Amino acid sequence: MDLATLAMIMMNKASKMGLPAGGGLSLFCPAGDLGQPPPAHMGIPPPYQLDSKLAAGLARTPMYPFPGGTYPYPMLSPEMSQVAASWHTPSMYPISSAASGFRSPYPTSLPISSSSLSSELYRFSPTLGGGLGLGLSPALVPAPPSKVDIFSHHARSQAEKSGGGGSGEKASEGGGGGSKEQNKKPHIKKPLNAFMLYMKEMRAKVVAECTLKESAAINQILGRRSGRSRASNEPRALGGRERRGTPVMWCTRVDTQWHSLSREEQAKYYEKARQERQLHMQLYPGWSARDNYGYGSKKKKRKKDRGPAELGGIGP
DNA sequence: TCGCCTTTGAAGACA
DNA sequence: TGTCTTCAAAGGCGA
């Protein structure tokens, strides 16, 4: 990526930051002059990924506005910023799996080794977020954290994985109680998948066009498959809402279904999701989706418990 | 205040 | 290997 391209991305991002979410999505532009949504990395709101409670504590932390980023990407060094920006060039994936030591299912091309990541990146491990100036620009951080701090999250994660160190942090730190552990260990959220990224972009549009607020209804609109559950646009009640007597009217004012997107359009989001995963892996090496299993030990979705009728039996 | 609702996709767990 | 489960976002709403 040349400097001009990079500058353009940054300028676009900057301009988008002031726009309402979903703004500029030509797909719904009244003028309809473009007919193509903007690149997927253009319209995502500012980064946010940590648990909201934690995010509140980090609210004052300057974050690198990674285009389309979902995580609280810290203010990276100029070098890392360029790397992050360059990830938006197709086929440029910065991870050197051999060097970094964590899985990398994707081809790599950028010459980033573990040394180039070094503390510049690892210092932003969420473990450090509490008191070590997470996200502060390097210029504002008087002294880099110790090596132990830098790798604490990674080390702990690895220990937990290997089973060594005994049930890892959950047992040693949590002491059997999940809440205490959560207070100590920031909750690193999963990277968003393609559909989630798409939903994030389109939500505002659906809210505006359909005057809907309920996320369940919005998600249903965005994710519905044509012919899957309904042949027409008659009002439909959500499962739960139906039980509660609150039918959700089907919105016909926008055509926002994920499945109605062209392959190219969907590919943008898949690509973006892939970049998100790559960045997530770099920011939180050693993190595993398993780490979030049972987070809060309350959200237990049990789709299997739902009746087949609720499941639709109308899947693809 | 907590958890459900709803969607797709990624990834871990398990048989 | 295939299937199942959980979790990501989001905000309203019932318990």
Side-chain angles (χ1 to χ4, degrees), chain A residues 196 219 294 297-306:
Chain A
M196 287 294 161
N219 297 349
S297 65
K298 43 193 174 185
K299 289 182 73 176
K300 296 290 182 187
K301 292 180 182 175
R302 301 172 61 88
K303 286 186 178 179
K304 277 294 171 185
D305 287 354
R306 298 179 199 166

Side-chain angles (χ1 to χ4, degrees), chain A residues 1 6 66 81-90 92 94 110 275:
Chain A
M1 172 184 299
L6 179 61
F66 180 69
S81 298
Q82 281 206 352
V83 168
S86 69
W87 291 348
H88 290 274
T89 302
M92 294 183 72
L110 278 183
Q275 291 175 354

Side-chain angles (χ1 to χ4, degrees), chain A residues 188-239:
Chain A
I188 302 173
K189 297 195 172 185
K190 290 176 64 175
L192 304 188
N193 62 37
F195 178 71
M196 287 294 161
L197 292 171
Y198 170 74
M199 226 167 46
K200 232 179 165 181
E201 276 195 15
M202 305 307 292
R203 173 179 303 278
K205 198 69 186 178
V206 174
V207 169
E209 295 290 333
C210 306
T211 60
L212 274 177
K213 289 184 177 179
E214 287 189 81
S215 294
I218 295 169
N219 297 349
Q220 204 171 57
I221 290 172
L222 291 174
R224 67 175 173 177
R225 297 173 187 269
S226 56
R228 177 185 179 186
S229 57
R230 47 196 298 98
S232 58
N233 288 320
E234 75 269 20
R236 181 194 186 202
L238 295 172

Side-chain angles (χ1 to χ4, degrees), chain A residues 154-174:
Chain A
H154 178 61
R156 287 191 304 165
S157 298
Q158 292 299 327
E160 186 183 3
K161 265 188 176 180
S162 64
S167 35
E169 56 202 282
K170 282 190 169 53
S172 58
E173 292 184 12

Side-chain angles (χ1 to χ4, degrees), chain A residues 29 76 96 116 140 164 173 197 221 228 241 247-248 281 286 296 311:
Chain A
C29 177
L76 301 180
S96 169
S116 66
L140 301 177
E173 292 184 12
L197 292 171
I221 290 172
R228 177 185 179 186
R241 293 294 170 273
V248 175
M281 280 192 293
L311 284 175

Side-chain angles (χ1 to χ4, degrees), chain A residues 62 75-76 123-124 133-142:
Chain A
M75 192 73 77
L76 301 180
R123 75 162 63 185
F124 301 116
L134 177 145
L136 286 181
S137 167
L140 301 177
V141 180

Side-chain angles (χ1 to χ4, degrees), chain A residues 4-74:
Chain A
T5 307
L6 179 61
M8 222 163 105
I9 288 178
M10 301 308 282
M11 285 173 59
N12 278 329
K13 179 63 183 176
S15 65
K16 294 289 177 186
M17 299 287 272
L19 294 176
L25 284 175
S26 57
L27 187 61
F28 307 103
C29 177
D33 52 341
L34 297 180
Q36 282 278 339
H41 60 277
M42 296 295 193
I44 300 290
Y48 162 78
Q49 181 68 12
L50 281 181
D51 179 71
S52 55
K53 295 163 190 163
L54 293 161
L58 299 173
R60 297 182 199 87
T61 299
M63 295 294 180
Y64 171 75
F66 180 69
T70 310
Y71 328 112
Y73 300 136

